[in-house]
Amino acid sequence: MNGTGSMAAPFISVTGLTDRELPVSKCPSGVLHAVIPSLCVGSSQDLRHNAVGYVSFLRGNTTHPEGKTTDQINFEYYREAVLIPFITTIREKLFGYSPGTDIPIELTAFGLVDEINAIFLDLKHRGILLLKHNKESALKDFISAYPSMIGRAAPTSSVAKGFLSNGMLDKRTMFWPDYDAILQTCKSKLIK
């Protein structure tokens, strides 16, 4: 989701599957991507919605013949199938960008998942953070979901309401204290 509320296709990763659950003979890479029509916001209310969503199944502790891990393969697929098309569509529809031309600096984008994966990969290569695959995947999933969770737990309107009601912020500028409102919070009478 971006700041305007536009949402990319859902992308669900099921990690830690065994060889029995995702056989090597049927899926040598250790990653199986399922494209599911109507796995999108609103499809349960309006059956005409036919945008797709994705579910990835990842076998644990599998390294691709090219030396890539299942996480790397999954992330590359996500970037190519979901993230880049989403960003390109936003640029086209909202800003009139033409694909294939230079991207203006104001339309550059990065994804939180990109940043998280890059940091974890760097720490792993430097030998600083050596987590088991399942633990690392769970931690990255949690970190990437954190902004959404904290946004729901402490919405700006609720937080601002507390600062406004006790005078810590004035209603006009939302920057300075409101001394009259602060004084109104006093329980005893003030001397003039």
Side-chain angles (χ1 to χ4, degrees), residues 67-89:
K68 295 179 181 178
T69 66
T70 53
D71 281 337
Q72 289 169 319
I73 295 167
N74 193 43
F75 177 70
E76 287 172 3
Y77 182 82
Y78 167 77
R79 186 179 55 225
E80 296 302 317
V82 179
L83 184 62
I84 291 173
F86 172 65
I87 292 169
T88 302
T89 300

Side-chain angles (χ1 to χ4, degrees), residues 110-126:
F110 77 96
L112 177 61
V113 175
D114 291 337
E115 296 295 323
I116 293 168
N117 281 326
I119 290 168
F120 271 81
L121 189 60
D122 178 57
L123 293 171
K124 183 185 285 185
H125 284 299
R126 292 171 39 205

